[in-house]
Amino acid sequence: MLRGTIALSHPVNVLRSIETRIESLVEGVFGRGPFRSHVQPVELARKLAKEMDDHKTISISRVYVPNEYVIYLAPRDREQFASYEGSLLTELADYLSEHARREGYSLLSTPKVLLEEDDDLDVGEFGIATRMVQARRTREAEEPQMVEAEQPSATRVFKAPVAATAAVSAEEAEKLGLAHEPRAFLSVGGKRHELSAPRATLGRSRECDITLEDANVSRRHAEVRHENGAWWIVDLGSTNGVEVNGERVDRARLNHEDRVVLGQTELVFEQPG
């Protein structure tokens, strides 16, 4: 079993490896001038990961994300993938699996990616629809079934059948009293901020949950996240980075009395036992 920093960095390396494989599928095709306006496979991979991040649902102890993704392309864009569409979809699904593993998300099944054409899209444009699907076996058939749910969107969206472990939205979890997080705090310059939501952004911008008056701090510098029973600090691509107990990190689990430095500002994480 891998331990220490090697184990922590492995998912990042896997993501980069998958991105490289996706790029290699079309090497020499999209690099030429006439095709520069077409949708790029790596762009699809990154947008799919963002859709996963944006469509989380919270259950009692897990953060669930969609496991089916439909990409809508203009017909001329899809033509570019005709000779390797199957391989590309496999690589995109692998990319989503590793992204979910890295972020600590829960999936109802291995991610599945599909391609569809949409005549209303122009070359270079694409849309993504997500679904959360849970297989359910019946006596009549062994094929999975899905329950359709209405959503305020032109895209049809499905959700898993209700079960003991079914995911609920963050709003529903809050109404049911299931979304209470363990009490945790960040202290900055003697001021204590309670982490009352699963995520809190830190930065110089007034739009952040915790605003830091420090010229060396980026506008959106970092984010504190509660995932799978633990709190994490995640660098949001800041200029000067994040340190935890004197060590530079991109992502790190926080423990009681850990000291986090953003720019020249020190924060103390507190989670009383």
Side-chain angles (χ1 to χ4, degrees):
M1 177 181 295
L2 295 176
R3 299 183 181 274
T5 57
I6 296 178
L8 290 174
S9 63
H10 177 67
V12 180
N13 293 335
V14 172
L15 285 174
R16 289 174 180 167
S17 175
I18 293 174
E19 281 192 7
T20 300
R21 296 205 305 269
I22 292 172
E23 288 174 327
S24 70
L25 286 172
V26 289
E27 185 176 359
V29 176
F30 284 91
R32 295 196 290 269
F35 298 99
R36 284 177 184 167
S37 63
H38 285 285
V39 172
Q40 300 285 339
V42 172
E43 182 182 8
L44 291 176
R46 291 168 181 163
K47 293 296 184 183
L48 284 167
K50 186 177 187 303
E51 287 297 299
M52 177 178 280
D53 292 336
D54 290 346
H55 290 84
K56 298 184 296 292
T57 54
I58 302 172
S59 73
I60 296 174
S61 60
R62 297 183 181 182
V63 178
Y64 287 93
V65 289
N67 55 341
E68 286 198 7
Y69 298 78
V70 182
I71 301 171
Y72 294 93
L73 297 173
R76 285 179 56 198
D77 269 326
R78 189 176 186 182
E79 288 175 5
Q80 308 304 311
F81 305 134
S83 62
Y84 52 88
E85 182 174 304
S87 296
L88 176 60
L89 295 181
T90 298
E91 296 291 353
L92 292 173
D94 288 346
Y95 187 87
L96 286 173
S97 292
E98 292 302 332
H99 182 73
R101 189 190 312 244
R102 181 189 182 202
E103 297 297 325
Y105 298 148
S106 294
L107 290 157
L108 296 176
S109 66
T110 302
K112 183 177 182 181
V113 182
L114 305 171
L115 277 184
E116 298 286 348
E117 292 183 10
D118 189 333
D119 294 331
D120 292 332
L121 294 173
D122 293 328
V123 172
E125 295 180 344
F126 63 94
I128 298 175
T130 65
R131 301 175 182 175
M132 190 178 296
V133 180
Q134 178 168 293
R136 181 178 62 187
R137 294 192 180 280
T138 65
R139 294 181 181 179
E140 294 79 11
E142 294 296 312
E143 296 181 358
Q145 295 184 350
M146 296 179 291
V147 176
E148 184 174 352
E150 293 183 1
Q151 296 289 339
S153 169
T155 303
R156 296 178 66 196
V157 180
F158 295 79
K159 69 177 181 181
V162 176
T165 59
V168 297
S169 68
E171 292 78 10
E172 291 170 330
E174 184 174 358
K175 290 178 182 178
L176 294 171
L178 301 176
H180 299 299
E181 307 290 355
R183 287 174 63 84
F185 306 87
L186 276 178
S187 294
V188 187
K191 184 176 181 181
R192 207 180 193 201
H193 301 266
E194 182 174 4
L195 301 173
S196 56
R199 294 189 176 219
T201 53
L202 314 173
R204 206 173 67 252
S205 172
R206 297 296 177 185
E207 297 178 358
C208 290
D209 298 299
I210 300 177
T211 302
L212 303 177
E213 301 290 347
D214 183 341
N216 294 292
V217 171
S218 299
R219 290 182 58 79
R220 282 175 51 85
H221 196 109
E223 186 174 66
V224 177
R225 303 175 183 174
H226 187 263
E227 298 174 348
N228 295 332
W231 289 96
W232 301 77
I233 183 79
V234 180
D235 192 339
L236 297 178
S238 65
T239 301
N240 293 316
V242 175
E243 290 186 5
V244 177
N245 298 328
E247 181 179 352
R248 182 74 172 259
V249 299
D250 292 325
R251 174 186 169 92
R253 180 170 178 169
L254 295 175
N255 297 302
H256 182 55
E257 295 188 344
D258 276 350
R259 297 186 176 276
V260 179
V261 175
L262 309 183
Q264 295 183 349
T265 302
E266 183 179 82
L267 306 88
V268 180
F269 175 77
E270 301 175 35
Q271 190 176 17

